[in-house]
Amino acid sequence: MTQDGTFSIPGFLSETAPRTGDVYAADCPTRKLLDRIGDKWSVLILLLLGGGPMRFNALRRRIAGVSQKMLSQTLRSLERDGLVERGVTPTMPVEVRYSITPLAGELIEALTTMMHWAERRMDVVAAAQARFDARRAE
Amino acid sequence: MTQDGTFSIPGFLSETAPRTGDVYAADCPTRKLLDRIGDKWSVLILLLLGGGPMRFNALRRRIAGVSQKMLSQTLRSLERDGLVERGVTPTMPVEVRYSITPLAGELIEALTTMMHWAERRMDVVAAAQARFDARRAE
DNA sequence: CAGCATCCATGACGATACTG
DNA sequence: CAGTATCGTCATGGATGCTG
């Protein structure tokens, strides 16, 4: 904590430190990651595939609430991004296995850290929300 | 890499390992984190405030493309979540400073890791996309 | 400066039906 | 099993104008 009672993460951009490759500059590639992370299913799929390859309907059953359309669509974007690999075994009917690429592996570790934070702290967040809403109601 | 040519992250849920507190179970608190991370501005704001407290219009100027409405709205949810603190100095006109809480500090470290991955690897992703699109076009 | 209120467009997403 | 195609909805968020 700094002496004025605020918190700061060392090494991160402050208001006075603009630079090239700026995350906050709309066209930065980092924004693209946020867009992908932002969609409803990408992260869930990546984390799940991080546990090992899975078939289409196995994923569908495992992820509560995903529609067939969105699963298909999301898998395709992930494949396009080079994060997920699609392996087809030409049996009858065909067997399709999805797995993560080494590139995705690095990302998944970071995502996992985030999820662990959530598991540890979301109750604190929920409590904060309750307090906030209580103050608003009075 | 496993012997069948796929990758796996140790310690993560596989298809055969459902359990309580399941991230994939729709009502899991972890989904809530994803929803927050998912919105367009939360992460950007958190990372910026990670560099130190900032005033409203300073944030607005720094984050390219954010509208006044969304900045206001997002700051409020972050405050509600207990991740951002709002400090009002009753001058004329009022001065409002936003800063992160210790709780947010932990999360921001994980987010920072993700952003660093993006900075290092988004060019690889872009290349993968180009290859994918090229195959589709032929 | 630090917002709130309103209107409206886009697109993400879900439901449903159909295919090899 | 592993998808594609189409349609409709609803929320996100941008634009604009106003306030203390």
Side-chain angles (χ1 to χ4, degrees):
Chain A
M1 198 189 300
T2 56
Q3 62 274 41
D4 60 352
T6 56
F7 292 85
S8 174
I9 303 299
F12 233 88
L13 298 177
S14 75
E15 177 186 2
T16 52
R19 60 168 192 196
T20 54
D22 192 342
V23 190
Y24 310 104
D27 59 335
C28 175
T30 312
R31 286 273 185 108
K32 302 212 169 62
L33 173 66
L34 288 178
D35 286 349
R36 173 120 336 272
I37 298 306
D39 74 47
K40 210 170 176 176
W41 308 111
S42 288
V43 173
L44 254 22
I45 292 174
L46 283 175
L47 290 177
L48 209 41
L49 291 181
M54 286 178 74
R55 298 182 58 176
F56 187 89
N57 279 316
L59 281 167
R60 183 159 168 40
R61 278 189 301 272
R62 192 64 207 289
I63 303 177
V66 71
S67 67
Q68 181 276 340
K69 172 190 175 180
M70 290 315 296
L71 180 56
S72 178
Q73 198 172 106
T74 308
L75 282 169
R76 235 184 237 297
S77 343
L78 290 172
E79 188 194 357
R80 185 175 110 98
D81 292 344
L83 295 173
V84 157
E85 201 164 9
R86 185 173 181 273
V88 182
T89 310
T91 53
M92 184 52 184
V94 289
E95 176 184 320
V96 182
R97 278 155 48 97
Y98 291 93
S99 53
I100 58 170
T101 63
L103 178 65
E106 303 169 4
L107 175 58
I108 290 174
E109 290 182 55
L111 292 175
T112 303
T113 304
M114 261 186 35
M115 291 305 108
H116 286 159
W117 178 88
E119 285 170 15
R120 285 202 320 279
R121 300 298 184 188
M122 281 313 269
D123 55 339
V124 180
V125 170
Q129 290 174 349
R131 270 198 308 279
F132 186 92
D133 295 344
R135 303 211 90 248
R136 293 239 65 185
E138 67 187 37
Chain B
M1 196 188 307
T2 56
Q3 63 274 42
D4 60 355
T6 57
F7 293 84
S8 176
I9 304 296
F12 233 87
L13 298 177
S14 75
E15 177 184 2
T16 51
R19 62 169 190 192
T20 53
D22 192 342
V23 190
Y24 310 106
D27 59 336
C28 175
T30 312
R31 285 271 184 109
K32 302 210 169 65
L33 173 66
L34 288 177
D35 287 349
R36 176 126 325 282
I37 297 306
D39 72 48
K40 210 169 177 179
W41 310 110
S42 289
V43 174
L44 254 21
I45 292 174
L46 284 176
L47 290 177
L48 255 187
L49 291 182
M54 287 178 75
R55 298 183 57 178
F56 187 89
N57 279 314
L59 281 165
R60 183 158 168 44
R61 278 190 302 272
R62 190 66 207 288
I63 303 176
V66 71
S67 67
Q68 181 277 337
K69 171 189 174 180
M70 291 315 296
L71 181 55
S72 177
Q73 197 171 107
T74 308
L75 282 169
R76 208 180 301 297
S77 357
L78 290 173
E79 188 193 356
R80 186 176 108 99
D81 292 344
L83 296 172
V84 158
E85 203 163 7
R86 185 171 181 273
V88 183
T89 310
T91 52
M92 182 58 184
V94 290
E95 176 185 319
V96 183
R97 278 155 49 99
Y98 292 93
S99 53
I100 57 169
T101 64
L103 179 64
E106 303 169 5
L107 175 59
I108 289 175
E109 290 182 54
L111 292 175
T112 303
T113 304
M114 259 186 37
M115 292 305 107
H116 286 159
W117 179 89
E119 284 170 15
R120 285 202 319 278
R121 300 298 186 188
M122 281 312 271
D123 55 336
V124 180
V125 170
Q129 291 173 349
R131 272 199 306 281
F132 186 93
D133 295 343
R135 304 210 87 246
R136 295 238 64 186
E138 68 187 33

